[in-house]
Amino acid sequence: MTVKQLGLPELVAHCVRLGITAVGLWREPVRAYGVEAAAALVHDAGLTVTSLCRGGFFTADGREADNRAAVDEAAALGTDTLVLVSGGLPAGSRDLPAARARIADGIAALAPYAAERGVRLAIEPLHPMYAADRCAVSTLDQALDLAAPFPAEQVGVVVDTYHVWWDDRAPAAVARAGAEGRLHSFQLADWTTPLPAGVLTGRGQLGEGAIDLAHWCELALAAGHTGPVEVELFNDDLWARDGLEVLEETLSAFGKITPRIGATLSG
Amino acid sequence: MTVKQLGLPELVAHCVRLGITAVGLWREPVRAYGVEAAAALVHDAGLTVTSLCRGGFFTADGREADNRAAVDEAAALGTDTLVLVSGGLPAGSRDLPAARARIADGIAALAPYAAERGVRLAIEPLHPMYAADRCAVSTLDQALDLAAPFPAEQVGVVVDTYHVWWDDRAPAAVARAGAEGRLHSFQLADWTTPLPAGVLTGRGQLGEGAIDLAHWCELALAAGHTGPVEVELFNDDLWARDGLEVLEETLSAFGKITPRIGATLSG
């Protein structure tokens, strides 16, 4: 999604060229290309799929079939992680606790299906500015509480710096996620202001914003995270530019965050 | 600020006409009108000043004199409450804990001055989307922790529904604020989407958004809040309309929230 201007074949070719060995994918371009074809394209190039984004929106009606399809697509792509964006308030509702209960029910309904297919559900807390319309799960602790009833290898969480950086309880929650074995996905994006209208497409390039990304990488490593580090930028300015150039810039910015992450990446 | 298109004399006249007996003021229009003149205008009309907004921005350099002036202005207006917007990250910094420590120092420096003048400092947690550039105090619990070293009659908190509605820990924090005697200001605004660019001027008219305002009023009353209920809407659309019309509409919307608040208001 960071370089959504690129088609899947271009993305894969550029990753190979730049030495990027793993990539997180979104459902829409995968489905447009064909799930099996996308899986072959990626694997034939020697790439690993880190995660598929996204299932969820449990607070809307009739999402069961689509969420199971998302699990199937993740399995077909060979990734073990499906990211869940859980949904905001149902239309006409102002009841956040009820929305959160409905999210819990939705996860409970989907988890066995995913487990049978070897796909972990990763609940992503979204920044509180999305609580009404995208995700009523606003903190890492809430996500961990939602995951708690399930085995860690079935349901865990996503830590995305863009969503949790402001939260003074989040560092402890990262440690908790690690201790529980639920840190299924770790994503980087920076916080830049002013936010654009709609607040969806203003995520900053790594190093250009307010977040101490090195600190968050250290927290994830200290929590035992050994999985991939994803970079997920939604940014109109980046999307308007040449995709390869953005990919190179992002890789360079990534490499500057911390030597420890660089070592992890190259290792 | 809800009707900032009105000059102070118009605002006062309209309040009197509509039976509004108390009003929260912002510093800029008060200073433009003259502090003493504004105090006379308001009091001669029989209005009470609920609070003055705002002091703070402790993470910027050289704010001491201006914050003391804010205290003086509050005292001159006869209000016992100065709202504090604490400031975000200092320029070039990514260290949120350091910003919060600096805020604590700023409050410690201002509190005795305010106490001597009979003005309570009310720390306002702002929505986490303002953490970088306006206020590193993002939750009600953080605000209460910052207030904790001081006597409750000197330093307390603001509960503004717009800023805290998403937080599953905020209801307990409202109760905590009440139990500690620190619920110095209670403000209403609704949450409407999509947010406008800059996310400063999109607060929704009461009842038009996602927040269960009746629930929050009940929480404040259950916490022992007996003070005023302020309505603080920053909204470009409302500002573009006739101020009296907006004031009437807001009063009507306020009256529909809950009978208990209506009774409190009329009582």
Side-chain angles (χ1 to χ4, degrees):
Chain A
M1 188 55 69
T2 301
V3 283
K4 76 168 185 178
Q5 63 270 55
L6 295 176
L8 272 184
E10 291 175 294
L11 172 67
V12 167
H14 291 335
C15 284
V16 170
R17 187 175 311 155
L18 297 176
I20 298 170
T21 59
V23 62
L25 297 176
W26 276 57
R27 291 181 71 196
E28 292 73 8
V30 167
R31 296 180 77 153
Y33 191 79
V35 178
E36 298 300 332
L41 176 75
V42 171
H43 297 141
D44 289 350
L47 290 178
T48 302
V49 180
T50 54
S51 68
L52 181 67
C53 200
R54 59 181 196 251
F57 285 91
F58 300 110
T59 55
D61 291 330
R63 299 292 292 225
E64 293 80 3
D66 188 64
N67 276 327
R68 290 185 177 187
V71 169
D72 295 339
E73 292 159 23
L77 289 167
T79 179
D80 62 356
T81 303
L82 175 67
V83 173
L84 298 181
V85 173
S86 296
L89 290 168
S93 169
R94 294 188 176 94
D95 191 341
L96 269 179
R100 289 165 183 155
R102 192 162 162 182
I103 290 167
D105 292 343
I107 293 168
L110 188 60
Y113 185 88
E116 286 168 15
R117 284 149 188 85
V119 174
R120 309 183 299 185
L121 302 179
I123 305 166
E124 182 162 15
L126 258 56
H127 193 283
M129 69 187 177
Y130 302 117
D133 51 359
R134 303 190 78 77
C135 185
V137 182
S138 301
T139 67
L140 194 48
D141 275 320
Q142 284 182 322
L144 286 165
D145 290 346
L146 282 165
F150 306 95
E153 67 274 16
Q154 289 183 17
V155 183
V157 299
V158 181
V159 175
D160 183 322
T161 55
Y162 190 78
H163 296 304
V164 306
W165 77 280
W166 58 270
D167 182 2
D168 59 347
R169 298 175 190 259
V174 171
R176 175 186 165 195
E180 295 181 1
R182 298 188 194 272
L183 212 174
H184 289 353
S185 175
F186 179 54
Q187 302 181 336
L188 302 179
D190 215 334
W191 182 273
T192 49
T193 55
L195 295 169
V199 300
L200 279 174
T201 57
R203 300 194 195 184
Q205 179 57 277
L206 310 182
E208 295 187 359
I211 306 178
D212 186 349
L213 294 171
H215 176 63
W216 288 96
C217 288
E218 296 291 332
L219 289 172
L221 292 173
H225 183 65
T226 56
V229 181
E230 300 183 320
V231 178
E232 189 184 66
L233 313 178
F234 297 11
N235 185 301
D236 287 321
D237 293 335
L238 295 180
W239 290 335
R241 290 169 49 196
D242 175 75
L244 176 58
E245 185 185 296
V246 171
L247 208 52
E248 289 177 312
E249 174 187 293
T250 303
L251 193 61
S252 171
F254 186 91
K256 288 176 188 157
I257 293 174
T258 165
R260 284 187 69 197
I261 282 288
T264 303
L265 180 72
S266 63
Chain B
M1 188 55 71
T2 301
V3 283
K4 76 167 182 176
Q5 63 271 55
L6 295 175
L8 272 183
E10 291 174 295
L11 173 68
V12 167
H14 292 334
C15 284
V16 169
R17 187 174 312 155
L18 297 175
I20 298 169
T21 57
V23 62
L25 296 177
W26 277 57
R27 292 181 70 196
E28 292 74 8
V30 166
R31 295 178 76 152
Y33 192 79
V35 178
E36 298 301 332
L41 176 74
V42 171
H43 297 143
D44 289 351
L47 290 177
T48 301
V49 180
T50 53
S51 67
L52 181 66
C53 199
R54 61 183 195 247
F57 286 90
F58 299 110
T59 55
D61 291 329
R63 299 293 292 224
E64 293 79 3
D66 188 64
N67 276 326
R68 291 185 178 187
V71 168
D72 294 340
E73 292 159 23
L77 289 168
T79 179
D80 61 357
T81 303
L82 176 66
V83 173
L84 298 180
V85 173
S86 296
L89 290 168
S93 168
R94 295 187 175 94
D95 191 341
L96 269 179
R100 288 165 182 154
R102 190 162 163 182
I103 290 166
D105 291 344
I107 293 168
L110 187 60
Y113 186 88
E116 286 167 14
R117 284 148 189 86
V119 175
R120 309 183 299 185
L121 302 179
I123 305 166
E124 180 162 16
L126 257 56
H127 192 283
M129 68 186 177
Y130 302 116
D133 51 359
R134 302 190 79 76
C135 184
V137 182
S138 300
T139 68
L140 194 49
D141 275 319
Q142 283 181 324
L144 286 164
D145 290 347
L146 282 165
F150 307 94
E153 67 275 15
Q154 287 183 19
V155 183
V157 298
V158 180
V159 175
D160 183 321
T161 56
Y162 190 79
H163 296 305
V164 306
W165 75 279
W166 58 271
D167 183 1
D168 58 346
R169 299 175 189 259
V174 172
R176 176 185 165 195
E180 294 181 1
R182 298 189 195 271
L183 213 174
H184 289 352
S185 175
F186 179 54
Q187 301 180 338
L188 301 179
D190 216 334
W191 181 273
T192 49
T193 56
L195 296 168
V199 301
L200 278 174
T201 57
R203 301 196 195 182
Q205 179 57 277
L206 309 183
E208 294 186 0
I211 306 177
D212 186 349
L213 295 170
H215 176 63
W216 288 97
C217 289
E218 295 292 333
L219 289 172
L221 292 174
H225 183 64
T226 56
V229 180
E230 298 183 322
V231 179
E232 187 184 68
L233 312 178
F234 295 12
N235 185 304
D236 286 320
D237 293 336
L238 294 180
W239 290 336
R241 290 170 47 196
D242 175 75
L244 176 57
E245 185 185 296
V246 171
L247 208 53
E248 289 177 313
E249 174 188 290
T250 303
L251 193 62
S252 171
F254 185 92
K256 289 176 187 158
I257 294 173
T258 164
R260 285 187 68 195
I261 283 289
T264 302
L265 179 74
S266 62

